[in-house]
Short mmCIF file of all heavy atoms in Angstrom, two decimals:
data_model
loop_
_atom_site.label_atom_id
_atom_site.label_comp_id
_atom_site.label_asym_id
_atom_site.label_seq_id
_atom_site.Cartn_x
_atom_site.Cartn_y
_atom_site.Cartn_z
N ALA A 54 -15.19 -4.86 0.90
CA ALA A 54 -14.50 -4.99 2.20
C ALA A 54 -13.32 -4.07 2.43
O ALA A 54 -13.04 -3.69 3.56
CB ALA A 54 -14.05 -6.43 2.38
N GLY A 55 -12.56 -3.73 1.40
CA GLY A 55 -11.37 -2.91 1.62
C GLY A 55 -10.18 -3.74 2.03
O GLY A 55 -10.21 -4.99 2.02
N VAL A 56 -9.10 -3.05 2.36
CA VAL A 56 -7.79 -3.64 2.60
C VAL A 56 -7.20 -3.02 3.85
O VAL A 56 -7.38 -1.82 4.09
CB VAL A 56 -6.88 -3.37 1.37
CG1 VAL A 56 -5.43 -3.75 1.65
CG2 VAL A 56 -7.40 -4.14 0.14
N THR A 57 -6.48 -3.84 4.63
CA THR A 57 -5.88 -3.31 5.85
C THR A 57 -4.41 -2.96 5.63
O THR A 57 -3.73 -3.53 4.76
CB THR A 57 -5.95 -4.32 7.01
OG1 THR A 57 -5.10 -5.44 6.71
CG2 THR A 57 -7.37 -4.82 7.22
N GLY A 58 -3.94 -2.03 6.44
CA GLY A 58 -2.53 -1.63 6.34
C GLY A 58 -2.19 -0.65 7.44
O GLY A 58 -2.80 -0.67 8.53
N GLU A 59 -1.20 0.21 7.16
CA GLU A 59 -0.70 1.16 8.14
C GLU A 59 -0.58 2.52 7.50
O GLU A 59 -0.27 2.62 6.31
CB GLU A 59 0.70 0.71 8.61
CG GLU A 59 0.73 -0.66 9.21
CD GLU A 59 2.16 -1.14 9.47
OE1 GLU A 59 3.14 -0.46 9.09
OE2 GLU A 59 2.28 -2.25 10.04
N VAL A 60 -0.74 3.56 8.30
CA VAL A 60 -0.57 4.92 7.82
C VAL A 60 0.70 5.52 8.43
O VAL A 60 0.93 5.39 9.64
CB VAL A 60 -1.79 5.80 8.13
CG1 VAL A 60 -1.53 7.25 7.78
CG2 VAL A 60 -2.99 5.29 7.35
N TRP A 61 1.47 6.15 7.57
CA TRP A 61 2.75 6.78 7.96
C TRP A 61 2.79 8.20 7.42
O TRP A 61 2.22 8.49 6.37
CB TRP A 61 3.91 5.99 7.35
CG TRP A 61 4.06 4.62 7.95
CD1 TRP A 61 3.26 3.53 7.73
CD2 TRP A 61 5.05 4.19 8.88
NE1 TRP A 61 3.71 2.46 8.47
CE2 TRP A 61 4.82 2.85 9.18
CE3 TRP A 61 6.15 4.84 9.47
CZ2 TRP A 61 5.63 2.12 10.06
CZ3 TRP A 61 6.95 4.13 10.35
CH2 TRP A 61 6.68 2.79 10.65
N SER A 62 3.51 9.06 8.15
CA SER A 62 3.82 10.38 7.62
C SER A 62 5.17 10.30 6.93
O SER A 62 6.06 9.56 7.37
CB SER A 62 3.81 11.42 8.72
OG SER A 62 4.82 11.13 9.68
N ALA A 63 5.30 11.03 5.86
CA ALA A 63 6.52 10.97 5.06
C ALA A 63 6.83 12.36 4.53
O ALA A 63 5.92 13.13 4.27
CB ALA A 63 6.34 9.99 3.91
N ASP A 64 8.10 12.66 4.37
CA ASP A 64 8.46 13.92 3.69
C ASP A 64 8.73 13.63 2.22
O ASP A 64 8.71 12.48 1.77
CB ASP A 64 9.62 14.61 4.42
CG ASP A 64 10.88 13.77 4.42
OD1 ASP A 64 10.99 12.82 3.59
OD2 ASP A 64 11.79 14.06 5.24
N ALA A 65 8.99 14.69 1.48
CA ALA A 65 9.15 14.55 0.02
C ALA A 65 10.32 13.62 -0.32
O ALA A 65 10.24 12.82 -1.25
CB ALA A 65 9.35 15.92 -0.61
N ALA A 66 11.38 13.70 0.46
CA ALA A 66 12.55 12.88 0.15
C ALA A 66 12.22 11.40 0.36
O ALA A 66 12.61 10.55 -0.45
CB ALA A 66 13.74 13.31 1.01
N ALA A 67 11.52 11.11 1.43
CA ALA A 67 11.14 9.71 1.71
C ALA A 67 10.21 9.18 0.63
O ALA A 67 10.36 8.03 0.15
CB ALA A 67 10.49 9.61 3.08
N LEU A 68 9.25 10.00 0.21
CA LEU A 68 8.33 9.55 -0.86
C LEU A 68 9.08 9.30 -2.16
O LEU A 68 8.81 8.31 -2.86
CB LEU A 68 7.22 10.59 -1.05
CG LEU A 68 6.17 10.68 0.06
CD1 LEU A 68 5.20 11.80 -0.22
CD2 LEU A 68 5.42 9.34 0.22
N ALA A 69 10.02 10.15 -2.47
CA ALA A 69 10.80 9.96 -3.70
C ALA A 69 11.61 8.66 -3.63
O ALA A 69 11.68 7.90 -4.61
CB ALA A 69 11.71 11.17 -3.93
N ARG A 70 12.15 8.39 -2.48
CA ARG A 70 12.95 7.17 -2.28
C ARG A 70 12.05 5.93 -2.44
O ARG A 70 12.38 4.95 -3.10
CB ARG A 70 13.57 7.24 -0.87
CG ARG A 70 14.62 6.26 -0.54
CD ARG A 70 15.49 6.76 0.66
NE ARG A 70 14.77 7.44 1.72
CZ ARG A 70 14.08 6.87 2.71
NH1 ARG A 70 13.98 5.55 2.77
NH2 ARG A 70 13.49 7.58 3.64
N LEU A 71 10.87 5.98 -1.81
CA LEU A 71 9.94 4.84 -1.88
C LEU A 71 9.39 4.69 -3.30
O LEU A 71 9.22 3.56 -3.79
CB LEU A 71 8.83 5.02 -0.88
CG LEU A 71 9.26 4.86 0.59
CD1 LEU A 71 8.17 5.36 1.52
CD2 LEU A 71 9.58 3.41 0.89
N ASP A 72 9.12 5.80 -3.99
CA ASP A 72 8.66 5.72 -5.39
C ASP A 72 9.68 4.98 -6.23
O ASP A 72 9.32 4.15 -7.08
CB ASP A 72 8.46 7.12 -5.98
CG ASP A 72 7.23 7.83 -5.45
OD1 ASP A 72 6.46 7.24 -4.67
OD2 ASP A 72 7.04 9.01 -5.82
N ALA A 73 10.93 5.28 -6.01
CA ALA A 73 11.98 4.61 -6.78
C ALA A 73 12.00 3.13 -6.45
O ALA A 73 12.05 2.27 -7.37
CB ALA A 73 13.34 5.25 -6.48
N PHE A 74 11.90 2.79 -5.18
CA PHE A 74 11.93 1.37 -4.77
C PHE A 74 10.73 0.62 -5.35
O PHE A 74 10.87 -0.55 -5.76
CB PHE A 74 11.94 1.26 -3.25
CG PHE A 74 11.87 -0.17 -2.79
CD1 PHE A 74 13.00 -0.96 -2.85
CD2 PHE A 74 10.68 -0.72 -2.37
CE1 PHE A 74 12.94 -2.29 -2.47
CE2 PHE A 74 10.60 -2.04 -1.99
CZ PHE A 74 11.75 -2.84 -2.03
N GLU A 75 9.56 1.22 -5.38
CA GLU A 75 8.35 0.53 -5.82
C GLU A 75 8.20 0.56 -7.36
O GLU A 75 7.20 0.08 -7.90
CB GLU A 75 7.10 1.15 -5.18
CG GLU A 75 7.07 1.03 -3.66
CD GLU A 75 6.94 -0.41 -3.16
OE1 GLU A 75 6.63 -1.30 -3.97
OE2 GLU A 75 7.17 -0.65 -1.98
N GLY A 76 9.17 1.09 -8.05
CA GLY A 76 9.15 1.03 -9.52
C GLY A 76 8.12 1.93 -10.16
O GLY A 76 7.56 1.59 -11.21
N VAL A 77 7.86 3.07 -9.56
CA VAL A 77 6.84 3.99 -10.10
C VAL A 77 7.24 4.46 -11.49
O VAL A 77 6.42 4.46 -12.41
CB VAL A 77 6.63 5.19 -9.14
CG1 VAL A 77 5.83 6.30 -9.80
CG2 VAL A 77 5.94 4.70 -7.86
N ALA A 78 8.50 4.80 -11.68
CA ALA A 78 8.94 5.30 -13.01
C ALA A 78 8.85 4.18 -14.06
O ALA A 78 8.69 4.47 -15.24
CB ALA A 78 10.36 5.84 -12.92
N ASP A 79 8.94 2.94 -13.64
CA ASP A 79 8.87 1.81 -14.57
C ASP A 79 7.43 1.33 -14.79
O ASP A 79 7.20 0.34 -15.51
CB ASP A 79 9.66 0.61 -14.03
CG ASP A 79 11.11 0.97 -13.81
OD1 ASP A 79 11.64 1.81 -14.57
OD2 ASP A 79 11.72 0.43 -12.86
N GLY A 80 6.44 1.94 -14.12
CA GLY A 80 5.07 1.56 -14.31
C GLY A 80 4.67 0.29 -13.56
O GLY A 80 3.70 -0.37 -13.95
N LEU A 81 5.41 -0.06 -12.51
CA LEU A 81 5.04 -1.24 -11.73
C LEU A 81 3.93 -0.89 -10.75
O LEU A 81 2.91 -1.58 -10.66
CB LEU A 81 6.27 -1.78 -10.99
CG LEU A 81 6.05 -3.06 -10.20
CD1 LEU A 81 5.64 -4.21 -11.11
CD2 LEU A 81 7.31 -3.43 -9.43
N TYR A 82 4.15 0.16 -9.98
CA TYR A 82 3.13 0.72 -9.11
C TYR A 82 2.96 2.19 -9.47
O TYR A 82 3.88 2.80 -10.00
CB TYR A 82 3.55 0.63 -7.62
CG TYR A 82 3.56 -0.76 -7.05
CD1 TYR A 82 4.69 -1.57 -7.14
CD2 TYR A 82 2.44 -1.29 -6.41
CE1 TYR A 82 4.71 -2.84 -6.60
CE2 TYR A 82 2.44 -2.56 -5.86
CZ TYR A 82 3.58 -3.33 -5.97
OH TYR A 82 3.58 -4.59 -5.42
N GLN A 83 1.79 2.71 -9.10
CA GLN A 83 1.53 4.11 -9.26
C GLN A 83 1.20 4.65 -7.87
O GLN A 83 0.36 4.06 -7.18
CB GLN A 83 0.34 4.28 -10.20
CG GLN A 83 -0.14 5.70 -10.37
CD GLN A 83 -1.43 5.75 -11.16
OE1 GLN A 83 -2.23 4.80 -11.20
NE2 GLN A 83 -1.64 6.85 -11.82
N ARG A 84 1.81 5.72 -7.44
CA ARG A 84 1.41 6.32 -6.16
C ARG A 84 0.20 7.22 -6.43
O ARG A 84 0.28 8.15 -7.21
CB ARG A 84 2.56 7.09 -5.52
CG ARG A 84 2.13 7.74 -4.19
CD ARG A 84 3.31 8.03 -3.27
NE ARG A 84 4.34 8.83 -3.89
CZ ARG A 84 4.33 10.16 -3.96
NH1 ARG A 84 3.28 10.85 -3.50
NH2 ARG A 84 5.34 10.79 -4.52
N ALA A 85 -0.90 6.89 -5.74
CA ALA A 85 -2.17 7.53 -6.02
C ALA A 85 -2.96 7.75 -4.74
O ALA A 85 -2.74 7.03 -3.75
CB ALA A 85 -2.97 6.67 -6.98
N PRO A 86 -3.89 8.68 -4.73
CA PRO A 86 -4.72 8.88 -3.54
C PRO A 86 -5.55 7.64 -3.23
O PRO A 86 -5.96 6.92 -4.14
CB PRO A 86 -5.66 10.04 -3.95
CG PRO A 86 -4.94 10.75 -5.04
CD PRO A 86 -4.17 9.67 -5.78
N VAL A 87 -5.78 7.39 -1.95
CA VAL A 87 -6.57 6.24 -1.51
C VAL A 87 -7.54 6.74 -0.43
O VAL A 87 -7.21 7.63 0.35
CB VAL A 87 -5.66 5.13 -0.97
CG1 VAL A 87 -4.83 5.59 0.24
CG2 VAL A 87 -6.44 3.86 -0.63
N LYS A 88 -8.75 6.14 -0.43
CA LYS A 88 -9.74 6.51 0.60
C LYS A 88 -9.66 5.55 1.76
O LYS A 88 -9.82 4.33 1.60
CB LYS A 88 -11.16 6.35 -0.01
CG LYS A 88 -11.61 7.50 -0.85
CD LYS A 88 -13.15 7.52 -0.86
CE LYS A 88 -13.69 8.63 -1.75
NZ LYS A 88 -13.78 8.24 -3.15
N LEU A 89 -9.44 6.09 2.93
CA LEU A 89 -9.39 5.27 4.15
C LEU A 89 -10.61 5.51 5.00
O LEU A 89 -11.28 6.52 4.87
CB LEU A 89 -8.11 5.59 4.95
CG LEU A 89 -6.78 5.39 4.25
CD1 LEU A 89 -5.63 5.67 5.22
CD2 LEU A 89 -6.65 3.99 3.67
N LEU A 90 -10.86 4.57 5.91
CA LEU A 90 -11.91 4.76 6.92
C LEU A 90 -11.34 5.59 8.07
O LEU A 90 -10.14 5.88 8.13
CB LEU A 90 -12.37 3.40 7.43
CG LEU A 90 -12.96 2.45 6.39
CD1 LEU A 90 -13.42 1.15 7.07
CD2 LEU A 90 -14.11 3.11 5.64
N ALA A 91 -12.19 5.94 9.01
CA ALA A 91 -11.80 6.66 10.21
C ALA A 91 -10.69 5.89 10.94
O ALA A 91 -10.72 4.64 10.89
CB ALA A 91 -12.98 6.84 11.14
N PRO A 92 -9.75 6.55 11.56
CA PRO A 92 -9.66 7.98 11.79
C PRO A 92 -8.91 8.75 10.71
O PRO A 92 -8.53 9.90 10.92
CB PRO A 92 -8.89 8.07 13.13
CG PRO A 92 -7.94 6.91 13.01
CD PRO A 92 -8.67 5.82 12.27
N PHE A 93 -8.74 8.14 9.55
CA PHE A 93 -7.97 8.81 8.49
C PHE A 93 -8.84 9.25 7.31
O PHE A 93 -8.35 9.66 6.28
CB PHE A 93 -6.87 7.86 7.98
CG PHE A 93 -5.88 7.48 9.04
CD1 PHE A 93 -5.90 6.20 9.61
CD2 PHE A 93 -4.94 8.39 9.52
CE1 PHE A 93 -5.02 5.85 10.60
CE2 PHE A 93 -4.04 8.05 10.49
CZ PHE A 93 -4.08 6.76 11.05
N ALA A 94 -10.16 9.16 7.50
CA ALA A 94 -11.08 9.39 6.37
C ALA A 94 -10.98 10.78 5.79
O ALA A 94 -11.23 10.97 4.60
CB ALA A 94 -12.52 9.10 6.82
N ASP A 95 -10.62 11.75 6.61
CA ASP A 95 -10.60 13.12 6.10
C ASP A 95 -9.20 13.58 5.70
O ASP A 95 -8.99 14.75 5.42
CB ASP A 95 -11.14 14.07 7.17
CG ASP A 95 -12.60 13.76 7.46
OD1 ASP A 95 -13.33 13.33 6.54
OD2 ASP A 95 -12.99 13.88 8.65
N GLN A 96 -8.26 12.66 5.66
CA GLN A 96 -6.86 13.03 5.40
C GLN A 96 -6.53 12.76 3.94
O GLN A 96 -7.12 11.89 3.30
CB GLN A 96 -5.94 12.19 6.27
CG GLN A 96 -6.36 12.14 7.70
CD GLN A 96 -5.45 12.96 8.57
OE1 GLN A 96 -4.63 13.74 8.08
NE2 GLN A 96 -5.57 12.79 9.87
N GLN A 97 -5.56 13.47 3.48
CA GLN A 97 -5.02 13.20 2.15
C GLN A 97 -3.98 12.09 2.30
O GLN A 97 -2.95 12.26 2.96
CB GLN A 97 -4.37 14.46 1.59
CG GLN A 97 -4.17 14.37 0.08
CD GLN A 97 -3.11 15.31 -0.44
OE1 GLN A 97 -2.65 16.21 0.27
NE2 GLN A 97 -2.69 15.09 -1.67
N VAL A 98 -4.27 10.93 1.72
CA VAL A 98 -3.41 9.75 1.89
C VAL A 98 -3.12 9.16 0.51
O VAL A 98 -4.03 9.02 -0.32
CB VAL A 98 -4.08 8.67 2.76
CG1 VAL A 98 -3.08 7.54 3.05
CG2 VAL A 98 -4.61 9.26 4.05
N HIS A 99 -1.88 8.80 0.29
CA HIS A 99 -1.49 8.11 -0.95
C HIS A 99 -1.16 6.65 -0.65
O HIS A 99 -0.90 6.28 0.48
CB HIS A 99 -0.24 8.77 -1.56
CG HIS A 99 -0.54 10.03 -2.30
ND1 HIS A 99 0.40 10.69 -3.05
CD2 HIS A 99 -1.69 10.74 -2.43
CE1 HIS A 99 -0.15 11.77 -3.61
NE2 HIS A 99 -1.41 11.83 -3.23
N THR A 100 -1.19 5.84 -1.70
CA THR A 100 -0.76 4.46 -1.59
C THR A 100 -0.16 4.03 -2.92
O THR A 100 -0.28 4.75 -3.92
CB THR A 100 -1.94 3.54 -1.22
OG1 THR A 100 -1.45 2.27 -0.76
CG2 THR A 100 -2.88 3.30 -2.39
N TYR A 101 0.46 2.86 -2.92
CA TYR A 101 0.99 2.32 -4.18
C TYR A 101 0.00 1.34 -4.77
O TYR A 101 -0.16 0.23 -4.29
CB TYR A 101 2.35 1.65 -3.93
CG TYR A 101 3.40 2.68 -3.58
CD1 TYR A 101 3.88 2.80 -2.27
CD2 TYR A 101 3.93 3.52 -4.54
CE1 TYR A 101 4.81 3.77 -1.94
CE2 TYR A 101 4.86 4.50 -4.22
CZ TYR A 101 5.30 4.61 -2.92
OH TYR A 101 6.22 5.59 -2.60
N LEU A 102 -0.69 1.78 -5.83
CA LEU A 102 -1.60 0.89 -6.56
C LEU A 102 -0.80 0.14 -7.62
O LEU A 102 0.05 0.73 -8.30
CB LEU A 102 -2.71 1.70 -7.23
CG LEU A 102 -3.67 2.43 -6.30
CD1 LEU A 102 -4.73 3.18 -7.11
CD2 LEU A 102 -4.34 1.46 -5.31
N TYR A 103 -1.11 -1.15 -7.76
CA TYR A 103 -0.41 -1.96 -8.76
C TYR A 103 -0.85 -1.50 -10.14
O TYR A 103 -2.03 -1.28 -10.40
CB TYR A 103 -0.72 -3.43 -8.55
CG TYR A 103 0.18 -4.33 -9.37
CD1 TYR A 103 1.54 -4.40 -9.11
CD2 TYR A 103 -0.34 -5.09 -10.41
CE1 TYR A 103 2.37 -5.22 -9.84
CE2 TYR A 103 0.50 -5.92 -11.14
CZ TYR A 103 1.84 -5.97 -10.87
OH TYR A 103 2.66 -6.78 -11.61
N ALA A 104 0.08 -1.39 -11.07
CA ALA A 104 -0.20 -0.74 -12.36
C ALA A 104 -0.06 -1.70 -13.55
O ALA A 104 -0.19 -1.25 -14.70
CB ALA A 104 0.70 0.47 -12.54
#
Side-chain angles (χ1 to χ4, degrees):
V56 170
T57 69
E59 302 172 355
V60 173
W61 292 74
S62 62
D64 61 18
L68 288 176
R70 193 160 38 82
L71 290 167
D72 286 357
F74 176 78
E75 298 293 347
V77 168
D79 301 327
L81 184 61
Y82 290 89
Q83 175 187 27
R84 179 157 54 84
V87 60
K88 279 204 182 84
L89 301 184
L90 300 182
F93 299 106
D95 297 326
Q96 312 253 12
Q97 197 202 347
V98 187
H99 282 187
T100 195
Y101 291 105
L102 295 180
Y103 191 67

